[in-house]
Amino acid sequence: MTASTDPYLLRLLLHCWRCDLRLVPVNTTEFDEEQQTHAPKRNYKCGLGCHKQLIDAAAIESKTWGAAERRATLTDVQLAYRQSVLEMLLAKVVIGPTEADVTYTWRM
């Protein structure tokens, strides 16, 4: 396993259901009403525009990590090693028409 500082854990794994291309990372800002400031937000999007809405990176990464933990009975993996672990376990993660539609193609 190798450690990574890449903030996008699914950079090489997340694919679009329609065109099957990898989703690309996108940094945006979101206005925080309470703080009255703009905060950075991590997202993924289809390069061809199949998904009109951005995919929340934190949400899909958390969901995928949870599925990997259940599949491989993982515990206490440091954040820096999660990308490497996911790439060992998964061949592809396909996001469907909605963020709730996720299909995992496991290597093992």
Side-chain angles (χ1 to χ4, degrees), residues 3-90:
S4 173
T5 58
D6 185 356
Y8 291 90
L9 297 180
L10 301 176
R11 180 184 298 271
L12 300 176
L13 297 171
L14 196 59
H15 290 251
C16 174
W17 68 282
R18 183 171 287 167
C19 66
D20 199 37
L21 292 177
R22 283 188 190 143
L23 297 184
V24 294
V26 178
N27 288 316
T28 60
T29 57
E30 188 174 78
F31 187 70
D32 183 340
E33 300 258 344
E34 287 182 21
Q35 303 288 331
Q36 294 293 306
T37 60
H38 288 277
K41 184 165 181 183
R42 297 179 312 110
N43 299 285
Y44 292 98
K45 73 172 188 171
C46 175
L48 294 180
C50 296
H51 287 277
K52 299 301 179 204
Q53 294 180 323
L54 296 174
I55 306 300
D56 183 327
I60 192 65
E61 290 166 358
S62 177
K63 184 175 187 171
T64 300
W65 183 253
E69 283 181 318
R70 288 186 301 278
R71 173 87 177 187
T73 59
L74 300 170
T75 57
D76 299 328
V77 176
Q78 293 178 4
L79 184 58
Y81 294 98
R82 287 186 178 184
Q83 186 175 41
S84 181
V85 169
L86 289 172
E87 289 172 3
M88 285 189 284
L89 294 173
L90 287 158

